[in-house]
Amino acid sequence: MKNKNSFLPHPILSVILVIIWLLLNNTVAAGHIVLGIVLAILIPWFTSSFWQQRVCVGNPLTFFKFSLIVIYDIVVANLTVAKQVIGSNDNLNPKFFNLPLDIKHPLGISTLASTISLTPGTVSCDLSEDRTYLIIHGLVVDDVEATIQEIKQRYEAPLMEVFKPC
């Protein structure tokens, strides 16, 4: 639902949009700053009616730590997967498995699924209709339960702290 009385319906999204705009343009010129701010105001305002529920960030510091962990995991996983793909296929142990979800916030589920897919070696394939589990494919899965626990600890638990109902 769109809140027309709110100048910034999604202030965190607006800040992120300005930062991404400046990073993509690789400049902090005054014109780009102004254009970035205009876009960061207009995009969330015009798209706020598409958002099912308002996004409230419960713990921004946890989200920052989560982001650092994801960046680290992406770098390490890229190196690991490159080594596995170049090396012998004997080390590969691909599997599909279900990840039971404790997180209920739609944006939290989407962020979790995206994080899993961003990390090389794992892909989030589908969300169950009742939104209780994700179907995931892993390139090297020796112990399904250990993999599930690692995803829940490293990704889902912090996201549950971040995405809380308003």
Short mmCIF file of all heavy atoms in Angstrom, two decimals, residues 51 53 71 126:
data_model
loop_
_atom_site.label_atom_id
_atom_site.label_comp_id
_atom_site.label_asym_id
_atom_site.label_seq_id
_atom_site.Cartn_x
_atom_site.Cartn_y
_atom_site.Cartn_z
N TRP A 51 5.00 -2.98 -3.02
CA TRP A 51 5.55 -3.65 -1.85
C TRP A 51 4.38 -4.18 -1.02
O TRP A 51 3.48 -3.42 -0.65
CB TRP A 51 6.40 -2.70 -1.02
CG TRP A 51 7.61 -2.22 -1.73
CD1 TRP A 51 7.67 -1.50 -2.89
CD2 TRP A 51 8.96 -2.42 -1.35
NE1 TRP A 51 8.96 -1.24 -3.23
CE2 TRP A 51 9.79 -1.79 -2.31
CE3 TRP A 51 9.56 -3.07 -0.29
CZ2 TRP A 51 11.16 -1.80 -2.24
CZ3 TRP A 51 10.93 -3.06 -0.21
CH2 TRP A 51 11.72 -2.44 -1.18
N GLN A 53 4.36 -5.37 2.07
CA GLN A 53 4.35 -4.84 3.42
C GLN A 53 5.55 -3.94 3.60
O GLN A 53 6.52 -4.01 2.87
CB GLN A 53 4.36 -5.96 4.45
CG GLN A 53 5.51 -6.95 4.29
CD GLN A 53 5.41 -8.07 5.29
OE1 GLN A 53 5.94 -7.94 6.37
NE2 GLN A 53 4.74 -9.15 4.93
N ILE A 71 29.94 -11.36 1.39
CA ILE A 71 31.03 -10.99 0.48
C ILE A 71 32.21 -11.95 0.66
O ILE A 71 32.78 -12.44 -0.31
CB ILE A 71 31.45 -9.53 0.70
CG1 ILE A 71 30.34 -8.59 0.21
CG2 ILE A 71 32.77 -9.22 -0.01
CD1 ILE A 71 30.51 -7.15 0.63
N ASP A 126 13.83 -23.27 -5.87
CA ASP A 126 12.39 -23.03 -5.78
C ASP A 126 12.01 -22.82 -4.32
O ASP A 126 12.70 -23.25 -3.41
CB ASP A 126 11.63 -24.23 -6.35
CG ASP A 126 10.20 -23.90 -6.75
OD1 ASP A 126 9.80 -22.71 -6.67
OD2 ASP A 126 9.47 -24.82 -7.16
#
